[in-house]
Amino acid sequence: MDKYLKSPSQIMREMGFSELINARKVLSRPIIELPLKNEERLFYHPEKRLKRFSGRTAIAYAIIPDSERGKFRREECSPKVSSLRDYVIHKGNRNVSITGVSGQGKSYLTTHLISIFSDKETIIFSFKPNDHELHLGIPVIDAKECLPNPFRDVNAFSEAYMTAFFGEKTSSGIQLQQTPGFLQEIASESDTWKDFMKSLSERKRTASKNQVEALNAIEQNVKTLVIEDMDSVTLNNGSIVFDFSSLPTKQAQNFYAELMLRQIYREMEERKREDVLVLIDEAHRLTKSYHTILDIMSREIRDKGMLWIITQNLIDILPEMRANFGTKFTFRLGDADLNMLSYNPLMRFAVEILQPRQFIDIEFPEGSSFSPVFTYVSNGLEHKETQKVAAEVSEPKREVGVGGRGEIIDFRREAQEILSEKMSYATEMGKIIAEKYGITKDQAKLKLKSALEELKNNNEVGRVKYLREGKPIVMYYSRNPNLSNLHTGMQSQVVGILNDLGVTINRISTTGERSAFDIETDFFMIEIETGLKHSMEDLKDRIKSTNLRVIIIVPNKELMEKYIGLEENVIVATIDSFKVLLEEPQKNRGS
């Protein structure tokens, strides 16, 4: 029997989305209505009046404009059962946030919502010991038993670290600018925490004073993240609650939660998980950071599933992320959040008079005209005994026959072939190899690390820190012939930017032309500098030979200092900042 079919005694008509946004239907009252008892008038508790709706959500009353006295007033209406499932689904955007100060009923509402969406694969992240998510009847797993290996994905490692240690208030500073690059560079050379700490110590020996400060901060922070027993984890499909409360520090909980979220969302993107409901309790741990994957999920998850978050304050959610939740169930809020609702006086008034267990949707479609006030009526059955399950941890291995091929992959040869044609980075090379042999990108990248390290040690490939779309990555290039593919790769990227912006190019030099600039235009000259040659005499001669502005393009910010101050007509930029430079009209003129 379908779980949504009820026996005749259980049948009770619920108002769906189209009825809930219809003021006439919501505000209707019966022709004859029994008066409230005296004690109910003095001490109004919707739960007493709504006992027959136990285990359901009902409309307690509504808020409407007060045409006689101005502003707004509470309007009594007939209690009506509401179908929040239908309401959320028909919003189009099925993402849900649940906010409100402590003790107002967020956990009861969450329990109810999970139960009415029980047909979905539900993945819940819980951070507090013995929290209500651990008693929903969904299997619980101790997250400490199934932590993903953070060194399988260098970008994820960096972003998870930044999420754990840098909130929205930390948006600038030398340490913040340097940290992502250091993290990716060191993590790319590591397979374990022991490797990471060793590489970090070696990096400190040759670092500048400012760099040492950033590296020292990383070293101290990383000590709180080190968990010895980690494996590459394959998570089975099916509903599960991950309990992070056993991890020793808040930073460790946030770091590994972010990594696990990224793993799950990657599986959703690859369609290994279909129509998944991801619920994050205590979401402020992640939603205050610009580095969390939740920002991307909130924007792009709609065709893959739903994202639900629970937190006390609306201001705990970054504005860009907050806009991507189609339903915002809100209980009583603090003053800072109330100020955010000033754009809709009716909603602000409604929130101010809410009683415990009462909530509204501040994204209610007719919110400028009226707003129903909902309440969940407890049936006392919300707390369930839950089975704790053991983690199934396995190291992903490529078996013979995977992808219908079964060849033994020579990762050194594959990397050399890719780098003989162009510069590239580990993630891109891993994707190319994965598609070629029918294995996962993570498998390919994991094996590729050691192959690239071996090629680097044999001086067959080089490695340079590189800015790509604002994010530092480790770029590899072939050392044969004569470093040309690093230089050529940068040159082609610059040409692409110029073409996109409609800048006329007069000449593009070929590799090895010493007397000519790499790219020439009517208003400026461009020189590509990889930073790998020792002498700059040729460059200085070329700069003196022109009256036009000269723009020197380098792979990363650290190399900019080497070229700054050569002549007054010289500008030094990375490829990212070069694009910004040309897009600003006042800087688009030649000297």
Side-chain angles (χ1 to χ4, degrees), residues 403-423:
R405 295 175 176 85
E407 302 98 325
I408 298 174
I409 305 172
D410 185 341
F411 283 89
R412 289 180 78 259
R413 179 174 55 80
E414 294 295 331
Q416 285 174 312
E417 283 187 10
I418 295 170
L419 294 175
S420 67
E421 297 180 2
K422 63 175 183 175
M423 62 180 184

Side-chain angles (χ1 to χ4, degrees), residues 271-305:
R271 304 298 176 180
K272 294 177 181 177
R273 295 178 185 270
E274 297 285 347
D275 203 17
V276 181
L277 194 170
V278 179
L279 171 67
I280 316 294
D281 196 3
E282 298 285 302
H284 63 275
R285 291 164 166 264
L286 306 178
T287 55
K288 289 185 175 184
S289 171
Y290 285 100
H291 299 273
T292 179
I293 191 69
L294 288 178
D295 182 35
I296 294 173
M297 290 177 68
S298 70
R299 285 185 275 113
E300 301 179 0
I301 199 173
R302 296 179 194 181
D303 63 328
K304 309 171 190 71

Side-chain angles (χ1 to χ4, degrees), residues 536 552 557 559-567 570-573:
M536 291 195 290
I552 297 176
K557 290 180 180 178
L559 278 172
M560 292 175 71
E561 295 180 7
K562 182 177 178 180
Y563 299 94
I564 289 175
L566 284 176
E567 294 289 344
V570 172
I571 293 176
V572 186

Side-chain angles (χ1 to χ4, degrees), residues 482-509:
N482 193 29
L483 309 179
S484 62
N485 70 350
L486 176 60
H487 185 280
T488 304
M490 292 175 64
Q491 188 179 35
S492 65
Q493 283 187 301
V494 172
V495 169
I497 292 170
L498 293 173
N499 288 333
D500 289 342
L501 296 176
V503 178
T504 301
I505 300 172
N506 296 332
R507 188 175 187 278
I508 301 173
S509 71

Side-chain angles (χ1 to χ4, degrees), residues 138-150:
I138 298 174
V140 176
I141 191 167
D142 186 343
K144 193 174 181 179
E145 296 179 7
C146 58
L147 298 178
N149 189 323

